[in-house]
Amino acid sequence: MYIPNCFQQISFFDSFDELPDYLKKYLLKSWAHTFQETIFPEINEDRFAVLYSDKPSRPNSYVNVIIGALIIKELYDLNDEQLVASIHMNLEFQYALRLTSEERPPVSINTFTNFRNRVTDYYEETGQDLIQQEVESLADLIAEELEIEEEMARIDSFMVASACRSLSRIELVYKVNENFIKMLNKTSPHLIPKELEAYLSEGHRNEVIYQTKNSEAETKLEKLLDQAKELYDIALKAERQVTDSEEFQLLKRMLKEQTKDDDDFDNIEPKEGKDISPESLQNPSDPDATYRYKYDDNTGYVGNVVEYFDGDNSVIITYDLKPNIYSDQKFSEDAIEKLASDNEDKEDINQDTDDNQEVEKAEENSDFLKLLMDGTYYSFDLASEALSRGIKFIPGELTIRKPAQDKMTFYENFDLDDSRDKITGCASGKEPDYQEAKDNGDYYATFDKGVCENCGLLAECRINLRENHGSVSFSEKDYESGRLRKQMGTEEYNKLTNQRAGIEGVPSALRRSYDVDNMPVMGLVRQKIFFSFKIAALNFRKYLSGKEPALT
């Protein structure tokens, strides 16, 4: 039964009042005071009421104590047991969580595990990430406390390793077979073929995997896949207790991904390694983990962070954790949805303005959120969508095709009319003889051939000289890409994009101080919950740094 933590005031017999004055002063200047004064009272317990029964039953542990404790846990890189011990024995922890009036802190070793399980189950059932909602709500609070204006943001992604190691194909098939046989041994031991009982023997794994010569690897893989197919056929004739099991589902998935299968698995010839998808099962212990090569091999996930920044202060305002095949441009789409302004005036500027100069002016409007990014986040279509919703993409470079060095960057030196419907002039100021906007949105115009041949800019112009005229055709994307490349060469633009470097310290901090590559859980949802509290802890450190008390 859900009950909020209504009693958080210091009682008459509070242990804080019994402290000597110098210890009271110490606490009042410590991180614990900042936490209990600013963060703790803003934790929205009611958000988590859906996790508990509305029928009379044993009341829940206080949610704000749990959330606050799990943030503090990441501040000090503790495991659950160390966290519980610290809450019971460390006055700073008790003070931060407003527990100094409690005779006994209301947490035990199971408190945090049970809470994470509830959150995980709710996430998987509904798709609602309550922890992320809470962490981002606290981030809004920190941004407000630090007076960070919502004018500048930056985005970055980084690989996050799964706690499971990547397995070779032989190890993977063996492990899936072994897990399925062990499950059968508990539920239906009579189904295990006699020749496969060896999987239950100590030392069988080493004999099969580590005593296999390189020359034998291909035939060994084929034999293991044959055994997997035999187990699959056995399962189909068994009860639903077998076919509904996670072990069977992983067996079925592995066969589909590793073999040249059809729907009935009649062909279990191993696929070539190059034909196996990065989304394929990497380890049955962490079925959500995927494979990707970016600078180095990675099996696991990709984290993405977006932070507001202003002067020396910053706060991660939104974030995500996805399988590591998730692209930066997909994160761009997500960021637009998260950051899009509710201010209708910003949208009206773009949707209702036809004048070319007014559109350019609108893009520089201080009301627009400038999002600094690596070139991998950028595309013309995404930038257009973002601009229509009050966000200006500022890429540090472009991954699209570069123009020839002896030519104009693209077509930005041609003039368009105020409504951007047609070409009105070239870089030399000459008007076209003919122009039109094609059905696909491309621009097209022809110019007097004699004028073009005698133009001083002909060598670098993108005009095509035909028999009777010079012609040019380009898309809005080409035009805008040229404008952007031209801006990127300016000192003002470079000064702006240089500020993106500040977010590149976030991945390093999450690895160095929060051990993000060694989260002690498997599966995307559970890993994201741990990831979320690491983000919350990092944001609290940013808040402390902005307010300047030391973290003792």
Side-chain angles (χ1 to χ4, degrees), residues 318 330-342 385-386 389 391 393:
T318 186
K330 287 291 293 180
F331 281 128
S332 273
E333 291 182 41
D334 299 340
I336 292 171
E337 291 301 317
K338 287 277 189 178
L339 301 176
S341 170
D342 292 331
E385 169 66 14
R389 303 184 68 178
I391 303 168
F393 277 11

Side-chain angles (χ1 to χ4, degrees), residues 39 42 50 82 103 128 175 201 213 241 250 283 351 354 356 382 392 398 427 510 550:
I39 303 299
E42 296 301 322
V50 293
Q82 292 169 329
E103 182 177 344
Q128 295 292 313
K175 185 64 177 174
S201 304
K213 298 178 181 178
Q241 182 181 13
L250 291 177
N283 190 315
Q351 295 171 353
D354 291 329
N356 185 28
L382 286 171
K392 175 81 182 290
L398 296 179
L510 287 170

